[in-house]
């Protein structure tokens, strides 16, 4: 059991011990979610993981309807997914099952992990800053879940559709391994979830003086290039997919500028009150 220590009078070893228990509790939370996901493998794989390779997946139906509205019969209406996922190693299925369960466990336990991290760093913050802990955890979790949903319903299906319908030659037949497919779905969801934490990252960078509204406005063109590069990495190599991914990230960047401005204005007001 973790021993009770006065947060204001902790030695280096006390901090290490507290960090150890923070990690242990976080891992336990992730493992609980992973066990639930491991047991619910039929739903996790047949419904969620293998959703983007089904022709009636909601994303394909959405883009199909959009195409028909503008008079275009899109390839999304009847994607040519003529393949079977292959297991090429003896341990593939079990390995995919384990790592997917751990990933789902992390996603589900994300608010709890965030709360544990906040509990560890909060003793070093001022009383005024601790009041925002609940808001920080809620907003960070919401942004993360929105990012995961965006990655799953937008990035993953666009990438899967492009990669698995791309034809090079009649002599080549696409038969992907289950390892590569599932890893791509997991990476798309997690990378997007982390990417959507941009406003929270900017908040803390502003608090420590590494980000300012003026600097972010000045560097907007460089940020645009960086966002387009990231979008090109995590999406298929077509302009439409990259723009679809880049737009929400650009919106988050603009929101982050106002967050940085809000933080500086609030800190300025606080300093003025202390001075009077």
């Amino acid at each position: 059991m973790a021993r009770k220590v006065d947060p204001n009078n902790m030695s280096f070893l006390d901090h290490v011990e507290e960090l150890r228990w923070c990690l242990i509790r976080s891992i336990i939370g992730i493992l609980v979610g992973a066990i639930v996901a491991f047991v619910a493998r039929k739903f996790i794989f047949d419904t969620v993981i293998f959703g983007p390779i089904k022709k009636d997946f909601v994303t394909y139906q959405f883009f199909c309807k959009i195409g028909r509205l503008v008079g275009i019969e899109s390839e999304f209406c009847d994607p040519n997914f003529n393949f079977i996922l292959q297991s090429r190693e003896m341990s593939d299925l079990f390995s995919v099952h384990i790592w997917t369960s751990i990933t789902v466990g992390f996603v589900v336990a994300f608010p709890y992990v965030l709360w544990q991290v906040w509990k560890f760093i909060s003793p070093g913050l001022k009383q005024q800053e601790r009041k925002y802990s609940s808001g920080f955890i809620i907003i960070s979790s919401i942004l993360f879940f929105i990012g995961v949903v965006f990655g799953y319903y937008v990035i993953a299906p666009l990438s899967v559709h492009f990669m698995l319908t791309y034809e090079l030659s009649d002599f080549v037949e696409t038969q992907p391994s289950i390892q590569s497919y599932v890893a791509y779905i997991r990476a798309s969801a997690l990378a997007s979830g982390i990417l959507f934490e941009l406003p929270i990252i900017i908040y803390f960078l502003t608090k420590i003086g590494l980000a300012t509204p003026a600097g972010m406005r000045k560097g907007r063109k460089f940020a645009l290039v960086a966002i387009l590069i990231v979008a090109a990495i995590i999406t298929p190599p077509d302009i439409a997919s990259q723009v679809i991914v880049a737009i929400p990230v650009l919106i988050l960047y603009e929101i982050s500028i106002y967050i940085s401005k809000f933080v500086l204005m609030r800190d300025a007001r606080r300093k003025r009150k202390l001075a009077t």
Side-chain angles (χ1 to χ4, degrees):
M1 293 291 292
R3 49 197 186 89
K4 297 291 183 179
V5 181
D6 182 5
N8 299 316
N9 188 26
M10 295 175 67
S11 66
F12 174 76
L13 291 179
D14 289 331
H15 282 291
V16 172
E17 178 69 9
E18 190 62 29
L19 176 61
R20 186 173 75 90
W21 279 102
C22 172
L23 293 174
I24 289 173
R25 287 189 289 264
S26 297
I27 291 172
I28 290 173
I30 294 171
L31 287 177
V32 170
I35 291 170
V36 174
F38 188 88
V39 173
R41 64 186 177 89
K42 285 291 184 183
F43 172 77
I44 295 298
F45 283 92
D46 292 351
T47 303
V48 180
I49 298 297
F50 297 142
I53 59 175
K54 296 176 181 177
K55 295 184 178 183
D56 60 349
F57 191 63
V58 61
T59 303
Y60 305 141
Q61 296 301 311
F62 174 78
F63 283 112
C64 175
K65 290 177 182 178
I66 293 295
R68 286 172 176 171
L69 284 175
V70 296
I72 299 174
E73 189 65 22
S74 169
E75 291 183 358
F76 289 107
C77 295
D78 187 24
N80 183 26
F81 292 152
N82 186 23
F83 68 92
I84 296 176
L85 293 174
Q86 298 184 1
S87 174
R88 297 170 183 169
E89 301 290 340
M90 288 181 61
S91 61
D92 274 358
L93 296 181
F94 184 71
S95 177
V96 165
H97 192 184
I98 289 291
W99 283 109
T100 301
S101 298
I102 292 173
T103 302
V104 173
F106 174 76
V107 171
V108 172
F110 184 79
Y112 178 74
V113 173
L114 209 59
W115 179 56
Q116 290 297 326
V117 173
W118 185 263
K119 279 180 63 179
F120 176 72
I121 65 174
S122 60
L125 302 176
K126 298 177 182 178
Q127 183 64 34
Q128 186 71 16
E129 294 170 331
R130 293 178 194 170
K131 293 191 334 185
Y132 299 100
S133 61
S134 58
F136 162 76
I137 294 170
I138 292 171
I139 294 173
S140 297
S141 299
I142 290 174
L143 286 173
F144 178 77
F145 289 136
I146 291 175
V148 168
V149 169
F150 181 80
Y152 176 74
Y153 281 104
V154 178
I155 297 177
L158 287 178
S159 302
V160 167
H161 183 275
F162 180 86
M163 297 298 182
L164 297 183
T165 59
Y166 185 82
E167 295 181 358
L168 181 64
S169 168
D170 292 337
F171 293 97
V172 181
E173 184 176 332
T174 302
Q175 296 294 343
S177 70
I178 189 172
Q179 283 273 19
S180 63
Y181 170 78
V182 176
Y184 202 92
I185 299 296
R186 292 197 308 250
S188 297
L190 281 180
S192 183
I194 294 171
L195 201 61
F196 271 59
E197 292 294 313
L198 179 62
I200 302 299
I201 295 171
I202 294 299
Y203 173 86
F204 284 104
L205 290 178
T206 303
K207 291 291 291 183
I208 61 178
L210 294 180
T212 62
M216 292 181 67
R217 290 192 185 98
K218 187 176 180 181
R220 185 182 277 121
K221 56 185 178 181
F222 300 106
L224 174 60
V225 173
I227 289 169
L228 290 175
I229 291 174
V230 172
I233 292 172
I234 64 177
T235 61
D238 65 274
I239 299 299
S241 300
Q242 293 170 17
V243 170
I244 289 171
V245 173
I247 287 175
V249 181
L250 285 171
I251 293 173
L252 286 172
Y253 185 83
E254 294 299 323
I255 292 173
S256 298
I257 294 176
Y258 287 98
I259 290 174
S260 180
K261 182 179 179 181
F262 168 76
V263 171
L264 292 180
M265 290 176 60
R266 191 187 64 189
D267 288 347
R269 286 197 301 267
R270 190 177 301 158
K271 289 178 181 178
R272 286 196 297 269
K273 286 182 180 179
L274 292 174
T276 56

